[in-house]
């Protein structure tokens, strides 16, 4: 049976435009909070394939999306490279010993050794392949090397990225050395996700906007393209979605062998259509906060549908859903996307 989501990624005819939401498995769902509480904490949940599979499927059953995204986190990668990941309640992720020196980079576990340690992710995927309805796609994901590096260098989330940027401008070779090591792990990690059974790859470059447009290719996009090219050569049937958040000034320069470009909410869909619509399927891009109002959601979905006539499209939010969005509003969004695009 063909999967509508995979078909749409390859710009094939579909009965309606499929929809999913970034961060769709998570804190806005009471059912998620219950399973997380049973697991003890977020990382235990990631490490427990049975429970991770359960929360991956929840938004399909509850919200009605057309694809599931594997429940995990981008930061399990540096964790398995030997940086100890903690989540501090109310604050977020923390690495207590961030990367400052070449010796620390050399000491990181690299390549296949690091990728092979993510067995709990591959086991979750294998369970999901047995549990997911045949017509629903499973999206696997990674963080872009740059976005991962920001946490590895800053030790935590940041508003200013000043430690990363100090390295970018004063010792770019050191930053490239981190990006290179992470890229090699990500290639193999995504290959193993594909072998375990994912149907689609998404690369999240959540912190793309921290880089000035003229340097974005050098420090992020070129590594993302390298990962996509590595995967495409071996697995051309697996669609690849690139999501660089917040770089409308880079649209003119986008290149690479991938299938879908994820448009963030700050980039007009009409601009993305004009610049990229003939080369890539476009995913997005409702402002996630519109979900607080059903009327605003409907208006926006109708506008996006109208704009995207004539090009390949997948409905999504322009970034992740927020934890205090009412579940019924998320359901409304999904229903509206499927309604307005029905052929
Ligand atoms: O339960 C909890 O309280 C933990 C919250 C949480 C969740 C539900 C975190 C911590 N990660 C996740 C799951 C997650 N993370 C998924 C799978 C669920 C889904 O999408 O349905 C995915 C794809 C991610 C990816 C992720 N993690 C990104 C990229 C996507 C994006 O939103 O831009 C990033 C930047 C992270 C880091 C991270 N992990 C968790 C938090 C709170 C953060 C962000 C911290 C910060 O703002 O710097």
């Amino acid at each position: 049976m063909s999967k509508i989501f995979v078909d749409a990624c390859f710009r094939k005819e579909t009965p309606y435009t499929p929809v999913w939401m970034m961060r769709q498995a998570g804190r806005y769902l009471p059912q998620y909070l219950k399973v997380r509480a049973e697991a003890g904490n977020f990382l235990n949940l990631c490490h427990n394939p049975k429970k991770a599979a359960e929360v991956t499927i929840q938004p399909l059953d509850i919200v009605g999306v057309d694809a599931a995204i594997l429940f995990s986190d981008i930061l399990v990668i540096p964790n398995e490279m030997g940086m100890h990941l903690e989540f501090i309640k109310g604050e977020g992720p923390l690495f207590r010993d961030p990367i400052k020196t070449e010796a620390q980079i050399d000491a990181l576990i690299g390549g296949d050794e690091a990728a092979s340690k993510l067995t709990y992710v591959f086991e979750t995927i294998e369970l999901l392949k047995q549990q997911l309805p045949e017509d629903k796609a499973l999206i696997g994901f990674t963080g872009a090397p740059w976005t991962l590096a920001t946490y590895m260098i800053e030790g935590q989330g940041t508003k200013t990225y000043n430690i990363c940027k100090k390295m970018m401008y004063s010792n770019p070779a050191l930053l490239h050395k981190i990006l290179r090591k992470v890229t090699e792990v990500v290639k193999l990690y995504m290959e193993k996700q594909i072998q375990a059974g994912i149907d689609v790859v998404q690369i999240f470059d959540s912190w793309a906007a921290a880089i000035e447009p003229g340097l974005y290719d050098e420090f992020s996009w070129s590594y993302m393209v390298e990962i996509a090219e590595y995967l495409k050569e071996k697995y051309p049937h697996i669609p690849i979605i690139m999501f660089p958040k917040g770089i409308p000034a880079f649209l003119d320069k986008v290149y690479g062998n991938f299938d879908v470009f994820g448009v963030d909410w700050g980039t007009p869909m009409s601009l993305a259509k004009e610049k990229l619509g003939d080369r890539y399927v476009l995913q997005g891009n409702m402002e996630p906060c519109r979900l607080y109002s059903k009327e605003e959601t409907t208006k926006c979905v109708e506008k996006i549908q109208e704009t995207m006539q004539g090009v390949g499209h997948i409905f999504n939010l322009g970034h992740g859903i927020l934890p205090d969005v009412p579940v019924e509003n998320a359901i409304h969004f999904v229903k509206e996307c499927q309604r307005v695009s029905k052929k």
Side-chain angles (χ1 to χ4, degrees):
M1 185 188 265
S2 75
K3 298 180 198 291
I4 169 172
F5 184 77
V6 173
D7 285 349
C9 290
F10 287 132
R11 209 183 283 233
K12 290 188 191 153
E13 191 71 26
T14 54
Y16 58 88
T17 305
V19 51
W20 68 285
M21 296 182 298
M22 284 185 272
R23 309 299 285 265
Q24 67 189 14
R27 290 167 294 176
Y28 71 105
L29 289 175
Q31 295 87 339
Y32 164 82
L33 293 173
K34 184 165 168 278
V35 180
R36 192 187 64 178
E38 286 163 11
N41 61 45
F42 171 69
L43 268 182
N44 283 353
L45 181 50
C46 292
H47 291 154
N48 181 328
K50 207 162 156 271
K51 287 197 177 349
E54 185 181 345
V55 295
T56 301
I57 292 179
Q58 283 176 348
L60 296 185
D61 296 339
I62 301 165
V63 188
V65 284
D66 294 296
I69 180 159
L70 168 73
F71 189 83
S72 182
D73 196 80
I74 60 169
L75 298 175
V76 296
I77 301 168
N79 188 43
E80 299 305 344
M81 292 176 76
M83 297 187 74
H84 179 63
L85 173 64
E86 294 170 63
F87 277 93
I88 307 295
K89 228 183 154 96
E91 284 182 38
L94 178 70
F95 295 110
R96 287 188 197 268
D97 191 15
I99 306 280
K100 296 188 189 77
T101 65
E102 189 156 8
Q104 282 175 295
I105 306 171
D106 290 335
L108 288 173
I109 301 166
D112 195 55
E113 196 186 343
S116 298
K117 290 172 71 191
L118 288 138
T119 44
Y120 47 93
V121 174
F122 312 133
E123 281 168 31
T124 305
I125 295 169
E126 279 157 17
L127 280 182
L128 281 163
K129 288 316 280 182
Q130 298 161 19
Q131 295 173 7
L132 274 179
E134 238 183 286
D135 59 335
K136 305 286 183 181
L138 177 61
I139 304 168
F141 69 91
T142 176
W146 160 254
T147 286
L148 292 173
T150 64
Y151 291 97
M152 295 166 78
I153 297 165
E154 303 272 344
Q156 58 198 341
T158 166
K159 288 201 166 71
T160 56
Y161 305 88
N162 54 314
I163 310 175
C164 299
K165 291 199 195 185
K166 193 186 279 176
M167 194 184 286
M168 180 182 285
Y169 294 110
S170 60
N171 193 353
L174 198 63
L175 180 52
H176 277 302
K177 188 163 175 163
I178 299 173
L179 295 168
R180 171 55 44 210
K181 196 148 183 175
V182 172
T183 298
E184 297 309 324
V185 175
V186 166
K187 280 184 196 165
L188 300 173
Y189 175 48
M190 293 319 295
E191 179 163 18
K192 287 177 196 292
Q193 286 194 27
I194 292 172
Q195 286 166 351
I198 59 164
D199 302 301
V200 179
V201 167
Q202 172 149 325
I203 305 180
F204 284 96
D205 199 6
S206 304
W207 311 136
I211 307 179
E212 60 174 286
L215 294 181
Y216 183 63
D217 189 31
E218 177 183 345
F219 288 100
S220 189
W221 189 253
S222 57
Y223 289 99
M224 293 168 72
V225 168
E226 184 184 320
I227 293 161
E229 270 168 7
Y230 174 82
L231 298 174
K232 269 286 158 198
E233 194 163 303
K234 292 187 158 186
Y235 310 96
H237 61 291
I238 300 289
I240 298 180
I241 308 170
M242 300 285 228
F243 178 67
K245 182 173 178 295
I247 52 151
F250 189 73
L251 289 187
D252 277 325
K253 301 197 180 69
V254 166
Y255 67 95
N257 188 5
F258 62 94
D259 306 282
V260 182
F261 185 88
V263 184
D264 68 86
W265 61 266
T267 303
M269 268 314 221
S270 52
L271 182 68
K273 179 181 178 179
E274 181 198 322
K275 305 279 183 196
L276 302 173
D278 58 340
R279 287 188 289 146
Y280 302 107
V281 170
L282 298 170
Q283 175 176 278
N285 78 338
M286 190 172 89
E287 186 346 341
C289 291
R290 281 208 183 233
L291 280 179
Y292 292 122
S293 154
K294 286 190 190 169
E295 293 73 40
E296 288 300 320
T297 295
T298 296
K299 264 197 245 163
C300 189
V301 166
E302 284 173 347
K303 169 100 188 298
I304 293 172
Q305 170 65 13
E306 199 186 306
T307 308
M308 297 316 286
Q309 290 308 303
V311 292
H313 179 224
I314 290 163
F315 274 113
N316 203 315
L317 305 175
H319 199 192
I321 182 171
L322 293 160
D324 62 342
V325 166
V327 178
E328 63 172 285
N329 293 26
I331 296 171
H332 175 79
F333 168 67
V334 169
K335 282 208 177 112
E336 289 296 78
C337 294
Q338 293 166 343
R339 175 184 68 81
V340 301
S341 62
K342 211 163 201 119
K343 308 246 155 66

